[in-house]
Amino acid sequence: MSPMPSVSYSITIRLEFAARSAAVSDITGRIEQHGATVTALDVAASGPERMRADITVLTGGHDHAMEVVDSLKELEGVELGKVSDRTFLAHLGGKLTVESKVPIRHRDDLSMVYTPGVARVVKAIAENPEDARRLTIKRNTVAVVSDGSAILGLGDLGPLAAMPVMEGKAALFKRFANIDAFPICLDAHSVEDIVAHVKAIAPVFAGINLEDISAPRCFEIEDRLRAELDIPVFHDDQHGTAIVVVAALRNALRVVEKDIETARIVLSGAGAAGTAILRLLRAAGARDIVVTDIHGIVHEYREQLEGRLPWIAEVTNPRELTGTLHDAIEGADVFIGVSAGNILSAEDVATMADRSIVFAMANPTPEIDPSEAAKHAEVVATGRSDFANQINNVLAFPGVFRGLLDAHATRVSDRMLLAAAKALADVVSAEELNPTYIVPSVFHEGVTKAVASAVEQVAREEAGTVDSITGAMSAVYADEITLEG
Ligand SMILES: NC(=O)c1ccc[n+]([C@@H]2O[C@H](COP(=O)([O-])OP(=O)(O)OC[C@H]3O[C@@H](n4cnc5c(N)ncnc54)[C@H](O)[C@@H]3O)[C@@H](O)[C@H]2O)c1
Ligand SMILES: O=C(O)C[C@H](O)C(=O)O
């Protein structure tokens, strides 16, 4: 069976063929016979005998695309031209540009925009550094920083390969929150080096969004930067994910009529995303959480508990389970996966409690195929855009930074993250809520605004009480916050 056609593997094929109506249906019929989907046919040139057209086709991947192209070569009278991968076409020359906001038409403009006029603005900022937010791009600019060590679910592919993702994040910042974000891919490896480089570029920015930096270094880098910078620092893979998961869980629990305080939750993955999800779940009131990782259930007596694992063992697993994910899942109300593909079976899901919830979020392959999970679970979500209930950080980070920037915030707190999760969940009204709609679409108009105002409000409330709640992340572990509602 051919893999499911997806727009991310769409191709445009240039073809020349005889100018007769059956020729077009022969071509589209052949494509669909191979399980691909034709979405457009644009005529590029037409003559009395021959036509030239570009056909856009959704395929299930590289091999499937090649299979479709090869099958068209067999059609009589059809000549194949260039085949373009539309995802690569969208990346030609990169996805961003920098534009001047001021006109530069003649010497007068030059004298103000640049020298000598600019010198007075320079002196004003030197005398009053706060003016940088008023007189430069700082107030609305965020650095999207990565070292490329944990790109999506692909691993350590380095800073150059991280560029398309960071450019993409910057494009999303602009599209959804009108924030000017800039991709900064660092050829730096140690915690010390990364912290030093981010600190050195920080004057330009009103916030730092860390992306795709591997665990456990991401924890220390964020802790250090939060303690040493006067602008908010937010590791999206941790906190963006946690906000969306808690929002989605809040709504999923409404669907299945269960409470977060009593729900039995299994969290597969104790890395960057898993650790942050655990923290926010606890802050949201969850109490019965069992965490599993590549070595099975995290418990106090397990060997080689390092990094954040001793803390995880301490605050989870109230029924003192040992063993594997399969042991943990029995009787659970909720499964949340941020670990690896295909580690959960439909039989495992069948052992869960009635009206169970499965969030299988590993990318690009989820912990369980969503259609398999749906055989036994009432609510199923994944990180994928080709299935209902897509859980992705893009629902959170644009609004979070909009709120932080509007409040001129200097820090990020767990109260802000929880407020963001609640606001995001509330975008789905009681009338809209159902098992296949627990999170809104990112294109839903209210998403960024709801998240931004919730974060801005908490940021303003907390202004002046800096350090009393979080400060460095390690302090949060000792002093967790629970919010109502
Ligand atoms: N959908 C989303 O929005 C979203 C957000 C963040 C992360 N993710 C996905 O979650 C996964 C983890 O991301 P991360 O940044 O936390 O990675 P990470 O490397 O920091 O952590 C991975 C965790 O999974 C565990 N793990 C790895 N292989 C396993 C296996 N075969 N069986 C059981 N556990 C295993 C590891 O022990 C570790 O605890 C990735 O696939 C990533 O793409 C998805
Ligand atoms: O950042 C994302 O959008 C995806 C997620 O973080 C992932 O690691 O797959």
Side-chain angles (χ1 to χ4, degrees):
M1 206 178 83
S2 312
M4 185 148 56
S6 150
V7 77
S8 66
Y9 283 110
S10 57
I11 52 174
T12 299
I13 311 166
R14 175 148 290 194
L15 293 166
E16 251 193 52
F17 49 90
R20 56 181 180 86
S21 50
V24 172
S25 51
D26 285 352
I27 292 167
T28 54
R30 176 62 67 100
I31 292 170
E32 303 210 330
Q33 255 172 27
H34 283 266
T37 310
V38 176
T39 59
L41 185 146
D42 298 302
V43 175
S46 177
E49 304 289 329
R50 304 277 294 165
M51 310 261 302
R52 190 179 310 138
D54 291 326
I55 297 198
T56 300
V57 181
L58 310 190
T59 76
H62 177 266
D63 294 348
H64 188 208
M66 288 303 103
E67 176 192 321
V68 171
V69 170
D70 288 343
S71 81
L72 291 176
K73 288 181 185 157
E74 291 162 8
L75 282 180
E76 213 182 300
V78 174
E79 274 173 50
L80 253 71
K82 219 167 58 177
V83 179
S84 321
D85 179 323
R86 292 174 68 230
T87 300
F88 275 79
L89 276 185
H91 283 80
L92 281 183
K95 295 187 289 238
L96 299 171
T97 186
V98 174
E99 278 178 24
S100 171
K101 273 165 66 181
V102 290
I104 305 176
R105 293 158 303 200
H106 37 58
R107 284 190 169 273
D108 257 23
D109 288 341
L110 263 187
S111 308
M112 287 189 290
V113 171
Y114 201 53
T115 184
V118 71
R120 286 190 300 115
V121 185
V122 169
K123 283 199 225 155
I125 295 173
E127 274 164 30
N128 181 18
E130 261 307 300
D131 267 356
R133 285 197 186 253
R134 212 163 55 82
L135 300 170
T136 73
I137 59 169
K138 182 177 176 84
R139 70 182 299 153
N140 197 44
T141 304
V142 166
V144 180
V145 178
S146 182
D147 64 348
S149 57
I151 307 178
L152 306 173
L154 302 172
D156 184 355
L157 301 180
L160 262 185
M163 283 288 284
V165 176
M166 303 314 135
E167 287 185 16
K169 292 273 174 183
L172 297 174
F173 266 114
K174 189 70 188 174
R175 167 64 179 81
F176 294 111
N178 198 24
I179 288 170
D180 297 310
F182 203 82
I184 309 282
C185 296
L186 296 173
D187 188 4
H189 305 284
S190 67
V191 169
E192 209 56 54
D193 252 17
I194 294 174
V195 168
H197 282 94
V198 175
K199 282 176 69 180
I201 60 164
V204 177
F205 302 100
I208 304 289
N209 184 54
L210 302 173
E211 284 288 347
D212 294 359
I213 299 178
S214 63
R217 294 173 321 139
C218 61
F219 302 123
E220 194 183 342
I221 290 168
E222 190 186 54
D223 280 0
R224 290 269 310 271
L225 289 172
R226 283 186 167 188
E228 294 173 36
L229 284 177
D230 62 355
I231 53 174
V233 178
F234 178 90
H235 182 203
D236 181 39
D237 302 279
Q238 292 186 60
H239 315 302
T241 311
I243 290 169
V244 186
V245 167
V246 169
L249 183 61
R250 218 182 139 88
N251 282 344
L253 287 168
R254 278 164 68 198
V255 170
V256 301
E257 300 171 306
K258 295 184 187 183
D259 292 326
I260 194 161
E261 289 81 9
T262 50
R264 281 169 64 167
I265 302 172
V266 173
L267 174 58
S268 168
T275 307
I277 291 169
L278 172 62
R279 249 182 63 203
L280 206 58
L281 280 175
R282 286 176 49 77
R287 286 295 166 261
D288 190 336
I289 308 170
V290 177
V291 177
T292 62
D293 67 2
I294 196 157
H295 304 296
I297 295 174
V298 179
H299 61 84
E300 269 182 282
Y301 306 104
R302 206 174 86 174
E303 280 175 14
Q304 293 173 328
L305 287 185
E306 283 169 355
R308 309 258 146 145
L309 291 180
W311 171 75
I312 293 177
E314 197 185 314
V315 301
T316 61
N317 198 9
R319 281 164 290 107
E320 300 186 351
L321 301 180
T322 56
T324 66
L325 170 62
H326 311 286
D327 302 309
I329 197 80
E330 207 181 320
D333 297 293
V334 180
F335 169 85
I336 299 172
V338 273
S339 47
N342 295 326
I343 59 165
L344 194 72
S345 67
E347 292 72 48
D348 290 323
V349 180
T351 70
M352 292 176 73
D354 283 348
R355 311 199 73 186
S356 61
I357 296 168
V358 170
F359 293 174
M361 296 166 51
N363 278 327
T365 311
E367 281 77 3
I368 177 168
D369 184 304
S371 44
E372 284 295 300
K375 287 181 182 163
H376 304 287
E378 184 163 334
V379 182
V380 178
T382 69
R384 301 170 60 116
S385 53
D386 53 4
F387 195 78
N389 294 330
Q390 183 186 17
I391 296 187
N392 188 275
N393 331 2
V394 70
L395 286 165
F397 71 80
V400 167
F401 272 93
R402 185 70 275 154
L404 292 169
L405 266 49
D406 288 349
H408 290 195
T410 55
R411 54 192 278 282
V412 182
S413 72
D414 273 16
R415 278 190 64 211
M416 295 176 195
L417 307 185
L418 261 188
K422 182 173 182 305
L424 179 59
D426 289 346
V427 171
V428 179
S429 69
E431 294 71 41
E432 291 171 317
L433 186 69
N434 68 48
T436 59
Y437 194 71
I438 55 166
V439 281
S441 152
V442 65
F443 293 99
H444 189 300
E445 227 182 286
V447 170
T448 303
K449 212 165 155 221
V451 173
S453 2
V455 170
E456 183 180 354
Q457 192 185 334
V458 178
R460 289 191 188 280
E461 280 166 19
E462 287 181 357
T465 57
V466 185
D467 292 334
S468 64
I469 300 177
T470 49
M473 186 113 59
S474 41
V476 179
Y477 284 90
D479 175 21
E480 287 187 63
I481 312 144
T482 310
L483 278 195
E484 296 194 349

